[in-house]
Amino acid sequence: MTASDERRRDDGGAHGDGVPAPGAATRPLRIAMISNYLPSDSKMGVGYQAHAMATALVDRGHDVVMFSPSPAVDGAGYEHRAVPVTGSLRTFKFALALREQDFSGFDVIHAHGDDYWLWRRRAPVHVRTMHGSCFEEALRIRGAKERLRMLLLGVTETIASLVADRTVLVSPRTRRWMPWVSTVVPNGVDVQRFAAPAPKSENPTVLFVGTWGGRKRGSMLADSFLRDVLPAVPDAELRMVTRDAPDDLPPSVRALGRLTDEELVAEYARAWVFCLPSTYEGFGIPYAEAMAAGLPVVATPNVGARFVTDDGRAGILAEPGELGHVITALLDDDERRAALAAVGTRRARSFDLGRVVDAYERIYLERLDRHRRGRG
């Protein structure tokens, strides 16, 4: 399959793929949302996406209940049902605990993970979103213990894709590990919120959103910035939305900790360049957020970055050793930044949360209709 064929197939998965034409549900649906992670206590992007989707569905009149071991999110408009798990192996324990939950009365179960033991039909429709591939991550993660854990989680993902009535991938290249799954619906961001106009910072600013350690490689970006960017652009600043950075950072590198939604939008607005050099992203929500904010994106060529940037057409894909030089060149080139911002802004519209929720509503309705016809 060529890249152009893959993009066409992706568009069909998100906006067609045999799903009925767009339109609101004829009645409010009762939806059980499953997510191990929520923004209340986790920095995992899956939790933020599950929360955003549940909120958007409630805004459309649906009744959503979130099943999660994470605490309820303050101000959430959906119901939260706690599924307590303790100790190690949390993901596996959560999956077992879900078997004891009562899903009767729901029209739809929509899982963002850990539903692989729910093989007996518990609601008319069971949808599973695959936010990436643990098999893919296992190829890049360090440590034998973590690699084994990822491989085991990859097996559970495969089982989950067979248990669900409809499995959805957030980017097309995950199909490498699940070739039997044809539907792709990207993750969504509130494009309008991130597009709010605001003045840029006076000094050249690079923004990072992720973790200092692990696959996000914040520490590597900081090293590249200090070694390659700062000598060429002495007034540049690297601002890092991260909670695990060391305390002894130099003045030109600032760790911002955890931000509110409003503070994060402001950081995107004031920055000149965004960079997230992950070893692996199933999608990469910060890339889409940055593009929606009109911010040029620099990324390493991981699976998610390739998809979100349209294989580098809407951003710059660079190997780790080239990051500092690429960022330096962008900070010195106003026209190049403006051109990338324009292309990225157009690309970000493909990931608007409203379009994503439209696609899932169509999937719910198509599967419900199929279920009713099957019973008839």
Side-chain angles (χ1 to χ4, degrees):
M1 181 184 294
T2 66
S4 59
D5 289 335
E6 189 173 67
R7 284 194 294 277
R8 284 195 294 271
R9 190 172 183 183
D10 166 52
D11 290 340
H15 309 296
D17 196 30
V19 180
T26 55
R27 64 177 176 84
L29 301 178
R30 184 159 168 78
I31 302 167
M33 194 80 71
I34 294 172
S35 179
N36 198 336
Y37 309 101
L38 288 175
S40 52
D41 74 341
S42 171
K43 55 185 177 291
M44 295 289 288
V46 173
Y48 284 88
Q49 186 65 191
H51 168 71
M53 191 175 299
T55 300
L57 287 165
V58 168
D59 289 344
R60 295 188 178 199
H62 300 297
D63 181 9
V64 181
V65 178
M66 181 71 72
F67 291 77
S68 178
S70 293
V73 178
D74 289 341
Y78 53 83
E79 181 183 339
H80 176 271
R81 194 164 299 177
V83 185
V85 294
T86 58
S88 58
L89 301 176
R90 167 175 162 149
T91 55
F92 299 105
K93 290 179 178 178
F94 178 48
L96 286 172
L98 285 173
R99 287 182 56 83
E100 307 303 319
Q101 301 301 309
D102 181 10
F103 293 105
S104 61
F106 288 99
D107 299 299
V108 177
I109 295 173
H110 187 161
H112 297 269
D114 308 307
D115 57 332
Y116 43 90
W117 294 132
L118 300 181
W119 57 76
R120 179 172 57 81
R121 181 174 293 281
R122 297 157 190 267
V125 174
H126 180 171
V127 175
R128 173 55 136 88
T129 297
M130 295 291 175
H131 289 272
S133 168
C134 288
F135 287 136
E136 188 81 34
E137 190 168 352
L139 297 176
R140 295 161 177 80
I141 200 166
R142 293 182 178 180
K145 183 177 179 180
E146 280 302 301
R147 186 170 293 112
L148 176 60
R149 176 175 172 271
M150 283 296 155
L151 290 172
L152 290 174
L153 287 172
V155 172
T156 68
E157 288 176 339
T158 301
I159 296 172
S161 74
L162 302 174
V163 168
D165 300 315
R166 187 68 168 270
T167 302
V168 178
L169 308 177
V170 298
S171 60
R173 287 182 177 84
T174 304
R175 198 175 288 122
R176 169 188 180 186
W177 302 100
M178 297 180 185
W180 55 89
V181 179
S182 62
T183 305
V184 176
V185 179
N187 280 329
V189 300
D190 188 342
V191 169
Q192 187 172 5
R193 180 163 63 91
F194 283 98
K200 294 292 183 184
S201 63
E202 294 185 1
N203 58 308
T205 303
V206 180
L207 181 66
F208 166 85
V209 178
T211 55
W212 179 265
R215 62 183 172 88
K216 307 290 185 176
R217 297 197 290 195
S219 61
M220 187 193 76
L221 175 59
D223 290 342
S224 298
F225 178 84
L226 294 171
R227 183 184 64 246
D228 300 323
V229 179
L230 203 58
V233 189
D235 59 340
E237 182 182 19
L238 174 60
R239 296 173 68 83
M240 309 187 76
V241 182
T242 184
R243 288 183 277 171
D244 60 341
D247 296 328
D248 56 345
L249 295 175
S252 57
V253 179
R254 183 176 176 186
L256 304 176
R258 181 170 183 167
L259 303 182
T260 65
D261 291 345
E262 293 74 19
E263 290 169 337
L264 180 61
V265 169
E267 287 296 329
Y268 279 118
R270 72 190 302 273
W272 291 29
V273 172
F274 177 80
C275 183
L276 176 57
S278 297
T279 57
Y280 175 68
E281 295 287 343
F283 179 81
I285 292 174
Y287 300 133
E289 292 175 341
M291 292 160 62
L295 191 55
V297 168
V298 177
T300 43
N302 62 69
V303 169
R306 286 187 179 278
F307 174 54
V308 177
T309 67
D310 195 19
D311 282 321
R313 298 175 184 85
I316 297 178
L317 302 177
E319 295 298 332
E322 303 170 353
L323 285 174
H325 303 295
V326 169
I327 292 171
T328 298
L330 264 182
L331 293 177
D332 285 336
D333 191 337
D334 295 347
E335 291 185 2
R336 177 66 170 149
R337 291 201 311 276
L340 278 174
V343 177
T345 299
R346 289 194 296 271
R347 175 66 174 164
R349 294 171 191 153
S350 301
F351 311 125
D352 182 71
L353 182 61
R355 294 184 64 182
V356 170
V357 176
D358 284 344
Y360 277 110
E361 277 191 321
R362 291 194 295 269
I363 289 171
Y364 299 160
L365 293 173
E366 185 269 339
R367 298 304 307 191
L368 280 168
D369 182 64
R370 182 176 297 186
H371 174 74
R372 294 188 191 102
R373 286 188 281 112
R375 293 185 66 182

